[in-house]
Amino acid sequence: MELTTVWFSLIALLWAGYFLLEGFDFGVGILLPVLGRDNRERRLLINTIGPVWDGNEVWLIVAGGATFAAFPEWYATLFSGFYLPLLLILVALIIRGVAFEYRGKRDDDRWRRRWDWCIFAGSLVPAILWGVAFGNIVRGVRLDEHHEYVGGFLDLLNVYALVGGLTTLVLFVLHGAVFLALKTDGEMRQRAGALAARLAPAAIVVAGAFLAWTAIAHHDAVGLVLFIVAALSLAGAAVATRLRREGWAFLATGATLVLAVIGLFVTLFPDVMPSTIADANSLTVHNASSTPYTLKVMTWVAVFFTPLVLLYQGWTYWVFRKRLSVENIPA
């Protein structure tokens, strides 16, 4: 297997891991004003992701760094053409991180409410825009013969990409609700589980429509199989939420996100950014990649350090695995 294909696959896995882990973070942030009726309950929700949210964002940094090193032409075109939406995502993530740190700095209800809304907005904006961005990457954008984006911002707001944004939004919110049902106890566990059961049908409709649209447009057999399994996994999550089997439901929503992301990358291959102007203008794993020597060095670095990162993050989740309830939050 060529190293360009290896690194395309690794980047796909990094994005799948990011959506799996940061997805429930975003879901919890969006549900903060929905499930958190008072300050104590909102603190409970924040504490469920408090030890892990910043570690989950490392997957985004590594995915971006790997793209820059392995496919610099893809990185340059992506970040110049998608400058505004990616800037909005970055600002939202910064505001969200600051809100987590500053929320408890003053004993003032108005102060806390403002930062709570910052957490909500900082979770909502990326949850939508990541789907819009990936929708445009898979659909294709206006690239000229120099592989430069020549479209405008409104071109990115096409129907397919907006459905993609709605898909990531509903999947992340469902993933977050299931996570809260798994991570909390008492009344919060019951409310989160009931909300997840109500959200599951909507997620099936929206995500199913987006995946079906993608499969019909691209006619990729492997991608179609992955999309079908992702849809079945989402249906299994709906059943598990009804039965209040939180662990199985979380595994199912996680599998849905991972399979859907990998399916999108499989559908995209060998392109990394198709052109809607002419096929010759498209960026591929070949014309967008770094030199073979660079890819070889990166591969050895990944072989040594990836297991260490996975072990450390797995250990973190194991240490903070216990359920939380309002009784664990001081008044």
Side-chain angles (χ1 to χ4, degrees):
M1 183 183 294
E2 295 181 354
L3 286 179
T4 52
T5 303
V6 169
W7 274 98
F8 180 84
S9 303
L10 289 175
I11 290 171
L13 291 175
L14 288 170
W15 279 107
Y18 175 68
F19 275 41
L20 168 66
L21 298 176
E22 191 82 311
F24 68 76
D25 279 0
F26 289 145
V28 171
I30 294 169
L31 293 174
L32 190 64
V34 178
L35 291 175
R37 296 175 177 174
D38 54 34
N39 179 50
R40 244 178 129 184
E41 289 189 348
R42 288 190 288 273
R43 285 168 60 195
L44 169 64
L45 298 182
I46 293 172
N47 283 1
T48 61
I49 59 174
V52 297
W53 71 267
D54 48 354
N56 293 342
E57 289 189 349
V58 171
W59 288 76
L60 172 61
I61 298 171
V62 176
T67 304
F68 173 75
F71 301 101
E73 188 77 17
W74 183 15
Y75 183 93
T77 302
L78 178 65
F79 277 78
S80 60
F82 292 20
Y83 178 80
L84 182 55
L86 292 178
L87 177 63
L88 291 174
I89 290 174
L90 178 61
V91 171
L93 292 177
I94 292 172
I95 292 174
R96 178 170 170 264
V98 171
F100 281 134
E101 298 296 332
Y102 276 73
R103 183 188 185 277
K105 297 299 184 182
R106 289 173 57 180
D107 187 15
D108 184 334
D109 287 338
R110 292 179 61 188
W111 169 272
R112 285 190 288 262
R113 280 196 299 271
R114 288 168 183 166
W115 289 117
D116 287 343
W117 283 110
C118 287
I119 294 173
F120 170 79
S123 302
L124 178 68
V125 170
I128 297 173
L129 291 184
W130 279 130
V132 173
F134 271 89
N136 278 291
I137 292 173
V138 174
R139 174 182 177 270
V141 292
R142 294 176 56 81
L143 298 182
D144 64 13
E145 64 274 13
H146 302 294
H147 308 306
E148 295 181 0
Y149 179 66
V150 293
F153 175 70
L154 294 180
D155 293 327
L156 301 177
L157 302 180
N158 54 81
V159 177
Y160 176 78
L162 292 176
V163 174
L166 184 60
T167 299
T168 50
L169 174 62
V170 295
L171 287 179
F172 287 171
V173 174
L174 174 61
H175 196 39
V178 171
F179 173 78
L180 288 173
L182 176 65
K183 187 64 178 173
T184 60
D185 210 347
E187 184 183 354
M188 182 60 71
R189 176 185 180 184
Q190 300 300 320
R191 295 211 311 263
L195 178 60
R198 294 196 299 270
L199 288 170
I204 291 173
V205 172
V206 175
F210 178 71
L211 296 180
W213 190 345
T214 305
I216 293 171
H218 291 272
H219 307 290
D220 186 276
V222 178
L224 176 61
V225 171
L226 290 171
F227 292 154
I228 291 174
V229 178
L232 292 175
S233 181
L234 187 56
V239 174
T241 55
R242 292 287 179 183
L243 298 176
R244 297 301 173 89
R245 301 295 298 271
E246 294 97 347
W248 286 108
F250 185 74
L251 287 174
T253 54
T256 299
L257 286 166
V258 170
L259 290 168
V261 172
I262 293 176
L264 290 177
F265 274 86
V266 168
T267 300
L268 188 62
F269 186 82
D271 291 335
V272 294
M273 186 170 285
S275 172
T276 56
I277 296 177
D279 290 340
N281 299 349
S282 298
L283 283 170
T284 69
V285 294
H286 303 293
N287 63 19
S289 69
S290 295
T291 63
Y293 179 76
T294 300
L295 296 177
K296 187 180 295 184
V297 172
M298 289 174 58
T299 302
W300 282 111
V301 172
V303 167
F304 282 107
F305 286 99
T306 301
L308 296 177
V309 173
L310 293 176
L311 286 172
Y312 172 75
Q313 192 154 31
W315 174 79
T316 303
Y317 276 90
W318 175 257
V319 170
F320 297 102
R321 67 188 182 277
K322 292 184 178 179
R323 291 181 181 270
L324 299 175
S325 66
V326 175
E327 286 70 26
N328 299 124
I329 308 299

